[in-house]
């Protein structure tokens, strides 16, 4: 391991910092292929020079529905304009622009504009309350806030007097009311900024590759969100790694759809920076994408790859299965033959076994390509899923549709990727660690399970204004502690078993790999949507079970039982259509038996008696964002669930 020296790097005395105005030393590992040092504006300029007329962004006119292209040349001109406007509005050196908005051209322009002006963007989840917005805006000392909808503006107006660094508020969408001091986006792009040309050029020249480029707050799954600073070098390294891992090339234009929250590391890195690196074209989905309109954008864009969180694929899985279920007898049989061929072909390929290519190609060309075309995925080479655990059934479903789906594991602190299935796949694992970084398991137990650690050029700079937490996350040899627990098998595949803050260590001292146990129960009964294990410092394990119910267009679970649950009701000779009917019946004994049998079957696979589930209860609603059990990236907030059902949990152990 050595420190890189280069004239594009600023003076640095440490490998990490909590001060956003400081530079850091860069870790270079022995076989690091990414020899060059560069900044995001340099990467952008290079792409614009190579492909000035290629379409960078596609957005839709809300009234006419027409798709409007923005070329790379035009994109860059607008970025420069926005950068100067931000400076004129009072963006300080290393100042922050916060954005609370759904994915849009204005989000991308703000991100690149502030970077070009020498500052950093801070994305804030649209679902945050005014208080949660205040926490982040105060922590990062934001100079400018960009919002889209009226209700987002209302949150900022409520807290603006408590934000001493705030100088301007910009609203991208038309307002129903005028508010003094709130500017429109049009005013930003039409501002006379000639007097800021020099300051802009000076700031741009002074950007160092080892200085802060982005400030991304973690999802706050285990506590308050932490502001992770990524340097230009972190981002360029990740982009190069991504391009190499997934074999992207400039020459064949890649097309993707922007719909993930851009305040999350995955949205920001893949949708903005990787796309610049590959000179790709990004289509903006509309704000109801996750409520069902994503398919319309997929049909318009016909993407060549997609990145999504597990929930996105679960929804697509449900929609396509439903469509297939409703096709006629013979066509259904043929489709089922084709999907089997595709799944076996890909599973064999993953296991490096030979597979019958002839019947697979017949199934692909004659049937599956047509099914994929109906959802705009016929050009899609692969899907990437990450940010939270994915159900193996969902993965197998997409393989059966001839859509290879690769897991990606990472976190904000490593600029997104740590391990991925790019190249080699092992179902149930999150893949092998990406090239040019190191991985190790800290203090492994007898089964090789311990904290997952990484070291490399993707390790972030530190948490903004929080040197204590920054020191805690790096050890003396610069290994970054992920907070996740897992093991690496003899072939180098990484398996996750839980998170340190959510570890279940029973009163008997046994460390419980809770994800494995929850997945084992889920695999035993298709009516179960969520199986939540409890047992930390307890004498035995218990479980909260949510049955599958329908969701409305906002993702809020309804009382109506979902198809999988109804199927079990029919098999049991029951007429229930609603979850409340099941619960009001006692809950119904036959359903309790169904779940008990699933748990018993899962228990037979338990590694020890301490890992067997002894009791369970049915929940009154499935987990979701609106009732607080899931965070903005759909990750389960275990602490919240424990608190919400504290009384019921205590009764298990009374
Ligand atoms: N493919 C994956 N499978 C399972 N879990 C994943 C995967 N990818 C990411 N994760 C989980 O997400 C975490 C990273 O998420 P992120 O950086 O958004 O913040 P967070 O950990 O959710 O929030 P906080 O640190 O504030 O509690 C990882 O540490 C891991 O626990």
């Amino acid at each position: 391991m050595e420190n890189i020296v280069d004239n594009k790097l600023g003076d640095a005395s440490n490998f990490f910092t909590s001060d956003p105005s400081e530079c850091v030393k860069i870790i270079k590992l022995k076989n690091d292929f990414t020899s060059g040092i560069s900044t995001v504006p340099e990467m952008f300029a290079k792409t614009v020079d190579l492909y000035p007329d290629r379409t960078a962004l596609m957005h839709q006119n809300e009234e006419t529905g027409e798709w409007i292209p923005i070329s790379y040349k035009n994109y860059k001109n607008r970025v420069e304009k926005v950068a100067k406007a931000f400076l004129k509005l009072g963006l300080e050196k290393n100042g922050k622009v916060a954005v609370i908005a759904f994915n849009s051209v204005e989000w991308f322009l703000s991100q690149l504009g502030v970077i070009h002006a020498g500052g950093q963007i801070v994305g804030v989840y649209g679902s945050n309350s005014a208080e949660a917005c205040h926490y982040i805006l105060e922590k990062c000392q934001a100079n400018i806030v960009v919002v889209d909808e009226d209700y987002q503006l209302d949150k900022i107006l409520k807290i603006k007097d408590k934000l001493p660094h705030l100088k301007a508020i910009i609203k991208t969408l038309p307002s129903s009311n005028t508010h003094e001091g709130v500017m429109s986006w049009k005013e930003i792009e039409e501002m006379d900024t000639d007097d800021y040309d020099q300051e802009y050029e000076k700031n741009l020249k002074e950007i160092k590759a080892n200085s802060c480029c982005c400030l991304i707050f973690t999802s706050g799954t285990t506590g308050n969100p932490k502001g992770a600073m990524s340097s230009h070098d972190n981002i360029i390294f990740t982009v190069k790694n991504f391009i190499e891992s997934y074999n992207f090339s400039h020459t064949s234009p890649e097309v993707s759809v922007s719909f993930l929250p851009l305040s999350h590391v995955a949205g920001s890195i893949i949708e903005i920076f990787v796309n610049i690196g590959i000179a790709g074209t990004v289509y903006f989905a509309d704000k109801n994408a996750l409520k069902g309109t994503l398919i319309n954008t997929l049909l318009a864009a016909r993407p060549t790859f997609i990145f999504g969180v597990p929930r996105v694929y679960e929804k697509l899985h449900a929609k396509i299965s439903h469509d297939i279920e409703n096709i006629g007898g013979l066509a259904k049989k043929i489709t089922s033959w084709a999907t089997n061929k595709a799944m076996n072909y890909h599973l064999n390929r993953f296991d490096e076994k030979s597979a019958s290519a002839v019947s697979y190609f017949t199934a692909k060309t004659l049937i599956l390509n047509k099914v994929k075309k109906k959802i705009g995925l016929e050009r899609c080479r692969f899907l990437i899923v990450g940010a939270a655990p994915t159900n193996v059934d969902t993965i197998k479903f997409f393989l059966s549709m001839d859509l290879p789906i690769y897991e990606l594991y990472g976190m904000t602190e490593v600029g997104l990727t740590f391990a991925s299935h790019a190249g080699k796949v092992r179902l149930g694992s999150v893949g092998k660690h990406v090239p040019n970084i190191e991985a190790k398991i800290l203090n492994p137990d007898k089964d090789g399970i311990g904290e997952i650690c990484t070291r490399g050029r993707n390790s972030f700079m530190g948490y903004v204004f929080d040197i204590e937490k920054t020191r805690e996350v790096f050890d003396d040899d610069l290994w970054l502690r992920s907070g996740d627990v897992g093991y690496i098998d003899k072939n180098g595949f990484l398996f996750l078993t839980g998170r340190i803050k959510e570890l279940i260590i029973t009163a008997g001292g046994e460390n419980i790999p809770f994800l494995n146990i929850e997945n084992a129960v889920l695999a035993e009964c298709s009516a179960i949507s969520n199986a939540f294990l409890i047992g930390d410092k307890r004498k035995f394990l218990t479980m909260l079970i949510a049955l599958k119910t329908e969701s409305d267009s906002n993702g809020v679970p309804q009382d109506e039982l979902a198809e999988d649950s109804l199927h079990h009701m029919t098999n049991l000779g029951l007429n229930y259509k609603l979850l409340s009917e099941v619960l009001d019946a006692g809950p119904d004994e036959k359903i309790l038996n169904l779940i008990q049998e699933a748990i018993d079957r899962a228990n037979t696979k338990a590694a020890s008696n301490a890992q067997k589930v002894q009791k369970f209860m049915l929940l009154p609603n499935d987990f979701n964002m609106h009732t607080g059990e899931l965070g903005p990236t759909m990750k389960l907030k275990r602490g919240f669930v424990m608190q919400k059902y504290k009384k019921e949990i205590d009764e298990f152990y009374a």
Side-chain angles (χ1 to χ4, degrees):
M1 197 174 66
E2 54 183 287
N3 174 30
I4 299 180
V5 182
D6 186 288
N7 62 7
K8 283 187 201 146
L9 297 175
D11 293 340
S13 47
N14 268 312
F15 283 97
F16 55 79
T17 181
S18 64
D19 180 346
S21 64
E22 274 184 7
C23 290
V24 288
K25 290 181 177 181
I26 292 183
I27 301 172
K28 182 168 167 28
L29 301 175
K30 271 194 193 103
N31 305 313
D32 186 351
F33 74 104
T34 47
S35 49
I37 295 281
S38 185
T39 64
V40 165
E42 282 169 347
M43 173 172 76
F44 189 39
K46 202 168 146 196
T47 298
V48 177
D49 280 349
L50 285 171
Y51 303 100
D53 300 319
R54 186 180 281 184
T55 300
L57 309 176
M58 283 291 265
H59 64 110
Q60 201 167 20
N61 179 314
E62 272 196 21
E63 274 151 35
T64 62
E66 182 198 356
W67 283 96
I68 304 159
I70 297 175
S71 68
Y72 268 97
K73 193 166 70 193
N74 188 344
Y75 188 12
K76 183 154 184 278
N77 290 340
R78 291 177 68 179
V79 163
E80 285 174 0
K81 182 80 204 175
V82 170
K84 291 174 196 171
F86 283 164
L87 290 173
K88 189 162 181 166
L89 289 175
L91 179 73
E92 293 161 13
K93 189 136 177 83
N94 276 306
K96 312 287 176 280
V97 174
V99 184
I100 313 175
F102 187 70
N103 308 22
S104 60
V105 172
E106 292 81 3
W107 221 120
F108 278 43
L109 293 177
S110 297
Q111 167 77 283
L112 291 164
V114 66
I115 291 173
H116 280 70
Q120 295 101 34
I121 203 88
V122 179
V124 182
Y125 288 106
S127 54
N128 279 10
S129 63
E131 292 68 35
C133 291
H134 178 252
Y135 176 85
I136 291 177
L137 299 187
E138 189 188 36
K139 187 93 189 163
C140 73
Q141 305 179 350
N143 292 148
I144 297 171
V145 179
V146 179
V147 297
D148 54 3
E149 307 269 359
D150 286 342
Y151 75 97
Q152 304 292 14
L153 177 62
D154 290 344
K155 292 182 204 169
I156 303 307
L157 294 176
K158 216 164 131 187
I159 56 173
K160 76 176 195 337
D161 294 338
K162 293 191 285 176
L163 297 168
H165 299 272
L166 188 62
K167 299 182 181 174
I169 302 174
I170 303 164
K171 185 147 190 307
T172 60
L173 294 176
S175 265
S176 41
N177 293 313
T178 48
H179 295 278
E180 213 190 299
V182 177
M183 301 184 76
S184 71
W185 187 264
K186 195 159 173 275
E187 285 175 273
I188 299 300
E189 290 211 50
E190 287 177 357
M191 197 181 277
D192 177 4
T193 54
D194 289 354
D195 41 345
Y196 280 81
D197 285 356
Q198 271 186 353
E199 189 175 338
Y200 168 76
E201 292 300 337
K202 181 174 170 288
N203 285 5
L204 188 61
K205 245 192 225 137
E206 284 176 0
I207 294 174
K208 298 293 180 189
N210 53 345
S211 67
C212 184
C213 178
C214 293
L215 182 53
I216 300 181
F217 277 79
T218 60
S219 322
T221 311
T222 55
N224 268 335
K226 295 160 285 189
M229 299 185 287
S230 293
S231 69
H232 289 261
D233 191 66
N234 291 148
I235 287 167
I236 301 288
F237 177 88
T238 300
V239 170
K240 284 185 180 171
N241 224 324
F242 212 83
I243 294 174
E244 166 150 307
S245 301
Y246 293 97
N247 284 325
F248 285 121
S249 92
H250 275 196
T251 40
S252 56
E254 300 283 353
V255 177
S256 59
V257 174
S258 174
F259 63 94
L260 289 174
L262 291 168
S263 27
H264 187 255
V265 64
S268 172
I269 295 278
I270 299 181
E271 296 183 0
I272 302 183
F273 299 119
V274 168
N275 266 303
I276 291 176
I278 60 179
T281 302
V282 182
Y283 279 67
F284 289 98
D286 72 63
K287 60 177 188 289
N288 294 318
L290 297 182
K291 297 178 191 163
T293 62
L294 179 61
I295 268 194
N296 303 341
T297 319
L298 295 179
L299 285 165
R302 298 168 50 243
T304 57
F305 76 100
I306 301 184
F307 179 89
V309 295
R311 187 81 191 113
V312 171
Y313 294 109
E314 283 163 18
K315 282 195 157 191
L316 273 177
H317 176 173
K319 156 127 188 56
I320 307 167
S321 307
H322 181 263
D323 291 352
I324 292 178
E325 206 46 46
N326 286 336
I327 55 177
L330 182 62
K332 193 170 156 188
K333 269 195 187 144
I334 297 174
T335 309
S336 158
W337 169 82
T339 52
N340 267 327
K341 289 289 164 210
M343 185 163 73
N344 288 336
Y345 174 81
H346 287 295
L347 287 177
N348 281 327
R349 196 169 60 87
F350 289 169
D351 283 348
E352 293 169 63
K353 290 185 197 147
S354 63
S356 158
V358 180
S359 52
Y360 159 67
F361 280 111
T362 314
K364 178 187 171 84
T365 33
L366 294 184
I367 296 146
L368 296 173
N369 282 352
K370 289 182 193 143
V371 181
K372 287 192 276 181
K373 200 165 181 185
K374 286 199 177 136
I375 44 169
L377 294 184
E378 78 279 15
R379 295 199 301 178
C380 195
R381 287 189 291 126
F382 53 83
L383 313 169
I384 311 172
V385 59
T390 311
N391 196 317
V392 172
D393 279 352
T394 302
I395 295 192
K396 284 189 177 162
F397 173 78
F398 283 100
L399 296 181
S400 78
M401 297 301 303
D402 192 38
L403 288 164
I405 177 163
Y406 301 128
E407 276 212 61
L408 183 150
Y409 157 68
M411 65 209 77
T412 316
E413 291 84 345
V414 299
L416 180 63
T417 41
F418 181 162
S420 89
H421 272 157
K424 293 246 162 71
V425 182
R426 180 68 37 89
L427 292 190
S429 89
V430 288
K432 293 189 175 188
H433 75 76
V434 297
N436 313 301
I437 66 164
E438 295 175 327
K440 77 165 183 187
I441 302 294
L442 184 68
N443 302 328
D445 67 8
K446 63 179 185 352
D447 299 316
I449 298 177
E451 183 172 3
I452 300 163
C453 296
T454 175
R455 187 164 65 176
R457 217 160 133 184
N458 56 341
S459 293
F460 77 139
M461 301 172 71
Y463 296 116
V464 72
F465 303 130
D466 197 340
I467 195 64
E468 298 223 329
K469 279 216 163 63
T470 305
R471 284 209 184 96
E472 278 168 25
V473 86
F474 286 106
D475 80 0
D476 292 346
D477 294 321
L478 298 172
W479 285 98
L480 188 148
R481 304 181 59 160
S482 69
D484 291 316
V485 184
Y487 63 95
I488 300 175
D489 76 3
K490 61 180 189 323
N491 298 312
F493 286 99
L494 179 62
F495 290 79
L496 300 185
T497 56
R499 300 188 78 171
I500 292 217
K501 284 196 187 153
E502 299 165 342
L503 270 191
I504 296 185
I505 303 172
T506 62
E510 181 150 0
N511 198 331
I512 305 291
F514 66 84
L515 285 181
N516 296 355
I517 299 178
E518 292 176 350
N519 285 335
V521 173
L522 283 175
E524 292 299 338
C525 179
S526 58
I528 303 177
S529 170
N530 273 292
F532 182 95
L533 194 72
I534 301 143
D536 194 34
K537 301 185 195 72
R538 307 281 194 173
K539 286 207 186 83
F540 54 89
L541 300 184
T542 58
M543 208 167 233
L544 303 179
I545 299 276
L547 291 182
K548 283 186 189 163
T549 51
E550 296 291 349
S551 299
D552 72 4
S553 58
N554 290 318
V556 183
Q558 305 293 296
D559 200 18
E560 282 79 24
L561 293 167
E563 212 154 300
D564 280 334
S565 304
L566 288 174
H567 177 73
H568 284 276
M569 300 300 146
T570 314
N571 284 350
L572 294 171
L574 298 170
N575 262 333
Y576 302 128
K577 298 274 183 283
L578 304 176
L579 175 61
S580 56
E581 291 172 345
V582 174
L583 299 177
D584 290 348
D588 190 286
E589 276 299 319
K590 284 188 181 170
I591 294 165
L592 291 179
N593 282 342
L594 175 83
I595 308 295
Q596 185 61 59
E597 282 163 20
I599 291 179
D600 290 345
R601 287 194 295 278
N603 277 345
T604 60
K605 295 171 201 146
S608 69
N609 275 338
Q611 295 195 17
K612 290 184 178 165
V613 180
Q614 312 284 349
K615 290 183 182 179
F616 73 93
M617 70 165 267
L618 288 182
L619 294 179
N621 69 277
D622 196 3
F623 299 153
N624 71 98
M625 241 170 81
H626 303 267
T627 44
E629 297 92 349
L630 302 184
T633 45
M634 303 291 174
K635 255 187 295 233
L636 189 52
K637 297 172 100 169
R638 302 189 79 93
F640 179 90
V641 176
M642 296 289 290
Q643 215 37 52
K644 180 165 176 179
Y645 293 106
K646 187 174 180 315
K647 191 169 140 271
E648 290 82 352
I649 293 171
D650 285 344
E651 278 168 15
F652 278 146
Y653 299 96

